[in-house]
Amino acid sequence: MEVAEKTYSVRARGRLHDLSTTHEGMTKSFDGTRISYRSAGRGYPPVICCNGLGVSTIFWNSLEKYMRHDYQVVTWDYRGHGHSENPKVAKNHTIDSLVSDCKAVFDVLKLQRAVLIGHSMGTQVIFEFYGRYPKRVAGLIPCLGTYGHPIDTF
């Protein structure tokens, strides 16, 4: 008698799997500012979420919950937001600084390439990241943002 082997999708494995694939931590950026991040799930390509200005990573909770079963989903707090530190030098509150912070998150998680999702100001971060590190970007998903000079679009 042949016994059919039952396979379970990652989605059906449940909460224990979710907990075993979730990691939270801090990494230092170029100027020593500690950046908070969270990685949930496994799968390729990884997805890195970049917030809008003044928006916490809570914005990405539903997306993470849905995608973590098939992909590694990374959220991170911008400098001066959430659990990340304020930079010691005020002039380091720039899009370029956020791009460097995003790269620090890539590096600490040992990601070679990822899809970047940017919401609002996060679109500027992902476009600038692509401009600096095109080989590390598997795709761009800009949401409700603009490129260039956002104040000019009001």
Side-chain angles (χ1 to χ4, degrees):
M1 178 171 158
E2 190 174 316
V3 178
E5 190 175 309
K6 189 168 187 175
T7 59
Y8 294 93
S9 71
V10 174
R11 202 174 291 283
R13 291 183 194 162
R15 183 147 174 78
L16 185 57
H17 179 267
D18 292 346
L19 291 173
S20 71
T21 61
T22 300
H23 170 74
E24 294 181 354
M26 301 285 279
T27 188
K28 285 189 179 180
S29 193
F30 71 99
D31 63 352
T33 302
R34 290 169 34 97
I35 304 300
S36 173
Y37 66 89
R38 173 184 166 91
S39 174
R42 291 191 187 121
Y44 189 83
V47 177
I48 296 187
C49 303
C50 299
N51 306 332
L53 182 63
V55 177
S56 78
T57 56
I58 290 171
F59 181 84
W60 302 108
N61 282 358
S62 294
L63 181 124
E64 177 193 302
K65 185 176 181 181
Y66 181 77
M67 294 184 72
R68 71 180 173 213
H69 301 288
D70 300 308
Y71 301 96
Q72 178 181 3
V73 180
V74 178
T75 56
W76 56 287
D77 287 319
Y78 288 164
R79 48 186 50 229
H81 289 70
H83 298 290
S84 291
E85 292 180 340
N86 281 315
K88 293 172 182 37
V89 178
K91 72 176 184 168
N92 286 347
H93 269 292
T94 65
I95 297 294
D96 284 339
S97 296
L98 296 176
V99 169
S100 295
D101 297 346
C102 186
K103 183 180 179 296
V105 172
F106 258 80
D107 292 346
V108 74
L109 293 172
K110 297 179 174 59
L111 302 177
Q112 296 303 309
R113 296 186 71 195
V115 171
L116 298 174
I117 301 177
H119 167 253
S120 190
M121 188 183 76
T123 61
Q124 296 234 335
V125 175
I126 68 171
F127 288 144
E128 290 296 324
F129 190 95
Y130 177 74
R132 268 205 239 168
Y133 309 105
K135 291 183 178 182
R136 298 195 76 177
V137 178
L140 295 172
I141 304 173
C143 304
L144 304 169
T146 186
Y147 64 91
H149 303 282
I151 301 302
D152 294 347
T153 63
F154 288 109

